[in-house]
Amino acid sequence: MNKESATLKRSLKLWQIVLMGIGYMTPMVVFDTFGIASETTGGHVPTAYILALIAMLLTAESYRKMIQIFPNAGSAYTYTQRTINRHIGFLVGWCALMDYLFLPMVNALIFEIYLSAFFPNIPAWIWVVVFVAFITLLNLRSVDFTANSNTFLVFFQVAIVVLFIAEACKALLNGAGTGKIISLQPFLSEGMDPSLLISGATLLCFSYLGFDAVAMLSEETEHPKRTIPRAMFLTALIGGILFIVASYFIQSVFPSAADFHDPEASSPEIAMMIGGTIFQTIFLAGGIAGTLSSGMSSHASVSRLLYAMGRDNLLPKKFFGYIHPKFRTPSFNVILVGVISLTAMFFNLATATSFINFGALIAFTFVNLSVISYYVFQKRMHKTVKGFFNYILMPSIGAVVIGLLWFNLEKNSLILGLCWAAAGFLYLIYITKGFKVNPMTVDFTQNEEVKTF
């Protein structure tokens, strides 16, 4: 296959897609965020995870409806430009780049923190280079190779969660925490404040980021209209179950945030108090596996988003729309993301993390709005009771839930996000010559087959 005819290869199966999404979400993150979540919820983290899961499943349902119509790489960017407005679609994709571009950087920084703690005499920047080089090389290979490598890392993390649960059960039987393996206390208690649960759910929603990223792999998936919606639902559901079960046992052993010296760094304390130094080392290995799996999946996703925007001629097509003829991957984009990730050497974790949330919320918001725009205003499929429920009520509830997250978005994320969006708007003015020229090469006038749900 020559470079002119090279396309993305449809080879991924359902289980590979699900594990890529779970790898993006990082199962071990439940331990890292538990302390601050317990403090926020007043000791009811599992309930907050349940509320967050409901919010994500509502948005996953909107993704499902859009993927059935547009089974292409690009996710929220593609849906918005095809249902609402081309220019708004570009800006949604531009903002989503924040989420996807900065997550590999965040993982590189976390990897650096882990390894620097063990090897303090080695310059920290070396660990960033090692991480980025490894992830980039894996993503340059075929998408199957990337998915299979990610599978091992996800199962390793799940194994550590299972090991923790076993150790937690032993501690509970010995009288630690609630002293009961089965108890409602982590979920409900007298005098529980619902507002704290909502705040906790807002915080923990960001643990679910990644279930949406699998939509970027639509053009590399067998039967995408059927497989990708299932994969998104299963990714959110399985990830949610992992978070809920793990947080239940952590909360049972540590009923209050006061049990931690530093709630913002709860993972090492949990490991030490449950199983000592050896278990803490195992937790460290799991944390490293988590950064690798999340870094691998996020790197793959952002390179596909850049490919979609390049193919549409919104970014220089010869570079961003290129597919390697042998590996069938957007290799130039993969390398570019690797180069950008190296700038993690000049960021701190707080700054890099603050970029992520804005882009994710933009994507979630416009996916819900795209459902309403397409099915209601374009296809007029809302006039029955079923249509009203599917195409107005459900996406509206999803949008309202995401609105609550917007309301709780930290100030730095909002400021940095708006600056990034402004830069994208200026670039859009440039490539459209003041909105007088349409640079896009995709035909939006084709009639898509619409299914009812």
Tab-separated table of all heavy atoms in Angstrom, residues 139-173:
chain	number	residue	atom	x	y	z
A	139	ASN	N	3.083	3.652	20.167
A	139	ASN	CA	1.984	4.167	19.363
A	139	ASN	C	2.313	4.248	17.878
A	139	ASN	O	1.399	4.323	17.050
A	139	ASN	CB	1.549	5.538	19.878
A	139	ASN	CG	0.504	5.437	20.966
A	139	ASN	OD1	-0.671	5.180	20.701
A	139	ASN	ND2	0.925	5.611	22.204
A	140	LEU	N	3.588	4.247	17.542
A	140	LEU	CA	3.968	4.245	16.135
A	140	LEU	C	3.654	2.910	15.470
A	140	LEU	O	3.395	2.849	14.269
A	140	LEU	CB	5.467	4.550	15.981
A	140	LEU	CG	5.869	6.019	16.089
A	140	LEU	CD1	7.389	6.156	16.109
A	140	LEU	CD2	5.273	6.843	14.948
A	141	ARG	N	3.683	1.854	16.271
A	141	ARG	CA	3.334	0.541	15.745
A	141	ARG	C	1.843	0.476	15.475
A	141	ARG	O	1.104	1.426	15.692
A	141	ARG	CB	3.749	-0.542	16.750
A	141	ARG	CG	5.248	-0.610	17.034
A	141	ARG	CD	6.009	-1.148	15.836
A	141	ARG	NE	5.563	-2.494	15.486
A	141	ARG	CZ	6.070	-3.616	16.009
A	141	ARG	NH1	7.009	-3.543	16.949
A	141	ARG	NH2	5.635	-4.799	15.620
A	142	SER	N	1.365	-0.662	15.024
A	142	SER	CA	-0.051	-0.802	14.695
A	142	SER	C	-0.917	-0.580	15.929
A	142	SER	O	-0.476	-0.768	17.068
A	142	SER	CB	-0.318	-2.204	14.133
A	142	SER	OG	-0.196	-3.181	15.151
A	143	VAL	N	-2.151	-0.191	15.707
A	143	VAL	CA	-3.062	0.074	16.819
A	143	VAL	C	-3.319	-1.204	17.618
A	143	VAL	O	-3.556	-1.167	18.825
A	143	VAL	CB	-4.372	0.699	16.304
A	143	VAL	CG1	-5.216	-0.331	15.542
A	143	VAL	CG2	-5.167	1.302	17.452
A	144	ASP	N	-3.254	-2.375	16.959
A	144	ASP	CA	-3.406	-3.643	17.683
A	144	ASP	C	-2.267	-3.841	18.667
A	144	ASP	O	-2.474	-4.327	19.787
A	144	ASP	CB	-3.437	-4.817	16.695
A	144	ASP	CG	-4.750	-4.914	15.959
A	144	ASP	OD1	-5.757	-5.249	16.603
A	144	ASP	OD2	-4.784	-4.637	14.749
A	145	PHE	N	-1.055	-3.492	18.254
A	145	PHE	CA	0.105	-3.620	19.131
A	145	PHE	C	-0.060	-2.726	20.353
A	145	PHE	O	0.206	-3.128	21.487
A	145	PHE	CB	1.375	-3.247	18.367
A	145	PHE	CG	2.640	-3.420	19.146
A	145	PHE	CD1	3.269	-4.643	19.227
A	145	PHE	CD2	3.217	-2.340	19.816
A	145	PHE	CE1	4.438	-4.804	19.955
A	145	PHE	CE2	4.375	-2.482	20.547
A	145	PHE	CZ	4.998	-3.727	20.618
A	146	THR	N	-0.527	-1.499	20.114
A	146	THR	CA	-0.766	-0.571	21.220
A	146	THR	C	-1.829	-1.113	22.163
A	146	THR	O	-1.670	-1.084	23.385
A	146	THR	CB	-1.218	0.796	20.670
A	146	THR	OG1	-0.201	1.308	19.795
A	146	THR	CG2	-1.435	1.795	21.800
A	147	ALA	N	-2.936	-1.604	21.603
A	147	ALA	CA	-4.039	-2.117	22.420
A	147	ALA	C	-3.608	-3.327	23.234
A	147	ALA	O	-3.956	-3.457	24.422
A	147	ALA	CB	-5.218	-2.476	21.529
A	148	ASN	N	-2.850	-4.221	22.634
A	148	ASN	CA	-2.424	-5.426	23.353
A	148	ASN	C	-1.430	-5.095	24.462
A	148	ASN	O	-1.452	-5.726	25.528
A	148	ASN	CB	-1.821	-6.431	22.372
A	148	ASN	CG	-2.857	-6.996	21.420
A	148	ASN	OD1	-4.045	-7.026	21.732
A	148	ASN	ND2	-2.419	-7.418	20.253
A	149	SER	N	-0.566	-4.116	24.234
A	149	SER	CA	0.366	-3.689	25.282
A	149	SER	C	-0.402	-3.071	26.450
A	149	SER	O	-0.089	-3.296	27.619
A	149	SER	CB	1.357	-2.661	24.717
A	149	SER	OG	2.102	-3.208	23.657
A	150	ASN	N	-1.423	-2.300	26.130
A	150	ASN	CA	-2.245	-1.674	27.151
A	150	ASN	C	-2.984	-2.714	27.991
A	150	ASN	O	-3.187	-2.529	29.195
A	150	ASN	CB	-3.257	-0.740	26.478
A	150	ASN	CG	-4.277	-0.186	27.438
A	150	ASN	OD1	-4.002	0.713	28.218
A	150	ASN	ND2	-5.492	-0.730	27.395
A	151	THR	N	-3.387	-3.822	27.364
A	151	THR	CA	-4.140	-4.872	28.065
A	151	THR	C	-3.383	-5.386	29.273
A	151	THR	O	-3.952	-5.541	30.368
A	151	THR	CB	-4.445	-6.034	27.099
A	151	THR	OG1	-5.283	-5.557	26.044
A	151	THR	CG2	-5.144	-7.178	27.822
A	152	PHE	N	-2.106	-5.666	29.107
A	152	PHE	CA	-1.299	-6.162	30.223
A	152	PHE	C	-1.274	-5.163	31.369
A	152	PHE	O	-1.424	-5.535	32.545
A	152	PHE	CB	0.129	-6.451	29.748
A	152	PHE	CG	1.102	-6.666	30.867
A	152	PHE	CD1	1.129	-7.862	31.574
A	152	PHE	CD2	1.986	-5.653	31.250
A	152	PHE	CE1	2.003	-8.049	32.633
A	152	PHE	CE2	2.866	-5.834	32.291
A	152	PHE	CZ	2.876	-7.040	32.988
A	153	LEU	N	-1.094	-3.897	31.044
A	153	LEU	CA	-1.001	-2.862	32.084
A	153	LEU	C	-2.314	-2.705	32.847
A	153	LEU	O	-2.319	-2.508	34.063
A	153	LEU	CB	-0.605	-1.527	31.438
A	153	LEU	CG	0.777	-1.502	30.780
A	153	LEU	CD1	0.956	-0.225	29.966
A	153	LEU	CD2	1.881	-1.615	31.825
A	154	VAL	N	-3.446	-2.817	32.145
A	154	VAL	CA	-4.748	-2.708	32.804
A	154	VAL	C	-4.980	-3.892	33.731
A	154	VAL	O	-5.405	-3.732	34.883
A	154	VAL	CB	-5.881	-2.614	31.764
A	154	VAL	CG1	-7.249	-2.735	32.441
A	154	VAL	CG2	-5.802	-1.293	31.009
A	155	PHE	N	-4.700	-5.099	33.257
A	155	PHE	CA	-4.906	-6.279	34.099
A	155	PHE	C	-3.998	-6.258	35.326
A	155	PHE	O	-4.373	-6.734	36.401
A	155	PHE	CB	-4.683	-7.559	33.292
A	155	PHE	CG	-5.873	-7.954	32.465
A	155	PHE	CD1	-5.742	-8.202	31.104
A	155	PHE	CD2	-7.124	-8.072	33.038
A	155	PHE	CE1	-6.842	-8.567	30.343
A	155	PHE	CE2	-8.233	-8.438	32.285
A	155	PHE	CZ	-8.086	-8.685	30.937
A	156	PHE	N	-2.807	-5.700	35.178
A	156	PHE	CA	-1.905	-5.590	36.323
A	156	PHE	C	-2.500	-4.676	37.388
A	156	PHE	O	-2.463	-4.978	38.584
A	156	PHE	CB	-0.548	-5.063	35.853
A	156	PHE	CG	0.468	-4.909	36.955
A	156	PHE	CD1	0.922	-6.005	37.669
A	156	PHE	CD2	0.960	-3.654	37.297
A	156	PHE	CE1	1.851	-5.861	38.690
A	156	PHE	CE2	1.885	-3.496	38.307
A	156	PHE	CZ	2.337	-4.611	39.007
A	157	GLN	N	-3.078	-3.553	36.950
A	157	GLN	CA	-3.710	-2.636	37.901
A	157	GLN	C	-4.908	-3.289	38.584
A	157	GLN	O	-5.110	-3.140	39.801
A	157	GLN	CB	-4.164	-1.366	37.176
A	157	GLN	CG	-3.037	-0.493	36.657
A	157	GLN	CD	-3.586	0.699	35.899
A	157	GLN	OE1	-4.055	1.663	36.493
A	157	GLN	NE2	-3.549	0.635	34.585
A	158	VAL	N	-5.719	-3.992	37.808
A	158	VAL	CA	-6.891	-4.664	38.377
A	158	VAL	C	-6.457	-5.708	39.394
A	158	VAL	O	-7.077	-5.867	40.460
A	158	VAL	CB	-7.743	-5.304	37.263
A	158	VAL	CG1	-8.869	-6.149	37.868
A	158	VAL	CG2	-8.336	-4.232	36.349
A	159	ALA	N	-5.359	-6.402	39.104
A	159	ALA	CA	-4.849	-7.402	40.038
A	159	ALA	C	-4.450	-6.761	41.370
A	159	ALA	O	-4.691	-7.329	42.449
A	159	ALA	CB	-3.656	-8.135	39.424
A	160	ILE	N	-3.871	-5.568	41.305
A	160	ILE	CA	-3.485	-4.869	42.535
A	160	ILE	C	-4.731	-4.433	43.310
A	160	ILE	O	-4.764	-4.522	44.544
A	160	ILE	CB	-2.593	-3.653	42.199
A	160	ILE	CG1	-1.250	-4.136	41.646
A	160	ILE	CG2	-2.368	-2.786	43.446
A	160	ILE	CD1	-0.332	-3.027	41.207
A	161	VAL	N	-5.767	-3.995	42.603
A	161	VAL	CA	-7.021	-3.628	43.274
A	161	VAL	C	-7.612	-4.840	43.991
A	161	VAL	O	-8.064	-4.746	45.136
A	161	VAL	CB	-8.032	-3.053	42.260
A	161	VAL	CG1	-9.395	-2.841	42.921
A	161	VAL	CG2	-7.524	-1.729	41.682
A	162	VAL	N	-7.604	-5.986	43.323
A	162	VAL	CA	-8.122	-7.219	43.935
A	162	VAL	C	-7.287	-7.606	45.155
A	162	VAL	O	-7.827	-7.998	46.201
A	162	VAL	CB	-8.134	-8.374	42.902
A	162	VAL	CG1	-8.478	-9.702	43.580
A	162	VAL	CG2	-9.130	-8.076	41.789
A	163	LEU	N	-5.963	-7.467	45.040
A	163	LEU	CA	-5.085	-7.765	46.172
A	163	LEU	C	-5.374	-6.832	47.342
A	163	LEU	O	-5.405	-7.258	48.505
A	163	LEU	CB	-3.622	-7.634	45.734
A	163	LEU	CG	-2.557	-7.910	46.805
A	163	LEU	CD1	-2.670	-9.333	47.336
A	163	LEU	CD2	-1.154	-7.668	46.228
A	164	PHE	N	-5.611	-5.559	47.036
A	164	PHE	CA	-5.958	-4.610	48.092
A	164	PHE	C	-7.255	-5.013	48.793
A	164	PHE	O	-7.351	-4.952	50.025
A	164	PHE	CB	-6.104	-3.195	47.528
A	164	PHE	CG	-6.782	-2.259	48.486
A	164	PHE	CD1	-6.088	-1.692	49.540
A	164	PHE	CD2	-8.147	-1.985	48.361
A	164	PHE	CE1	-6.718	-0.859	50.457
A	164	PHE	CE2	-8.779	-1.150	49.263
A	164	PHE	CZ	-8.064	-0.595	50.317
A	165	ILE	N	-8.263	-5.399	48.011
A	165	ILE	CA	-9.547	-5.787	48.598
A	165	ILE	C	-9.369	-6.970	49.548
A	165	ILE	O	-9.961	-7.008	50.640
A	165	ILE	CB	-10.565	-6.119	47.486
A	165	ILE	CG1	-10.950	-4.837	46.738
A	165	ILE	CG2	-11.818	-6.789	48.063
A	165	ILE	CD1	-11.809	-5.069	45.501
A	166	ALA	N	-8.525	-7.921	49.154
A	166	ALA	CA	-8.260	-9.072	50.024
A	166	ALA	C	-7.611	-8.618	51.330
A	166	ALA	O	-7.985	-9.073	52.428
A	166	ALA	CB	-7.370	-10.072	49.293
A	167	GLU	N	-6.632	-7.722	51.230
A	167	GLU	CA	-5.964	-7.211	52.429
A	167	GLU	C	-6.927	-6.378	53.273
A	167	GLU	O	-6.888	-6.416	54.514
A	167	GLU	CB	-4.750	-6.357	52.025
A	167	GLU	CG	-3.602	-7.141	51.418
A	167	GLU	CD	-2.934	-8.061	52.442
A	167	GLU	OE1	-2.882	-7.694	53.636
A	167	GLU	OE2	-2.497	-9.155	52.053
A	168	ALA	N	-7.813	-5.624	52.613
A	168	ALA	CA	-8.791	-4.813	53.337
A	168	ALA	C	-9.763	-5.704	54.107
A	168	ALA	O	-10.128	-5.400	55.258
A	168	ALA	CB	-9.548	-3.916	52.367
A	169	CYS	N	-10.203	-6.796	53.491
A	169	CYS	CA	-11.106	-7.738	54.182
A	169	CYS	C	-10.437	-8.312	55.421
A	169	CYS	O	-11.074	-8.444	56.484
A	169	CYS	CB	-11.512	-8.860	53.231
A	169	CYS	SG	-12.674	-8.361	51.941
A	170	LYS	N	-9.170	-8.625	55.295
A	170	LYS	CA	-8.432	-9.163	56.444
A	170	LYS	C	-8.358	-8.126	57.566
A	170	LYS	O	-8.568	-8.437	58.749
A	170	LYS	CB	-7.005	-9.559	55.995
A	170	LYS	CG	-6.213	-10.314	57.049
A	170	LYS	CD	-4.759	-10.519	56.602
A	170	LYS	CE	-4.694	-11.268	55.292
A	170	LYS	NZ	-3.280	-11.493	54.881
A	171	ALA	N	-8.100	-6.869	57.185
A	171	ALA	CA	-8.024	-5.797	58.190
A	171	ALA	C	-9.380	-5.564	58.858
A	171	ALA	O	-9.461	-5.357	60.075
A	171	ALA	CB	-7.525	-4.511	57.532
A	172	LEU	N	-10.461	-5.616	58.084
A	172	LEU	CA	-11.791	-5.418	58.647
A	172	LEU	C	-12.160	-6.527	59.622
A	172	LEU	O	-12.759	-6.279	60.674
A	172	LEU	CB	-12.835	-5.335	57.522
A	172	LEU	CG	-12.772	-4.077	56.637
A	172	LEU	CD1	-13.665	-4.238	55.413
A	172	LEU	CD2	-13.181	-2.836	57.434
A	173	LEU	N	-11.810	-7.745	59.282
A	173	LEU	CA	-12.090	-8.874	60.173
A	173	LEU	C	-11.296	-8.775	61.474
A	173	LEU	O	-11.698	-9.339	62.506
A	173	LEU	CB	-11.770	-10.197	59.463
A	173	LEU	CG	-12.719	-10.582	58.313
A	173	LEU	CD1	-12.211	-11.826	57.594
A	173	LEU	CD2	-14.139	-10.802	58.837
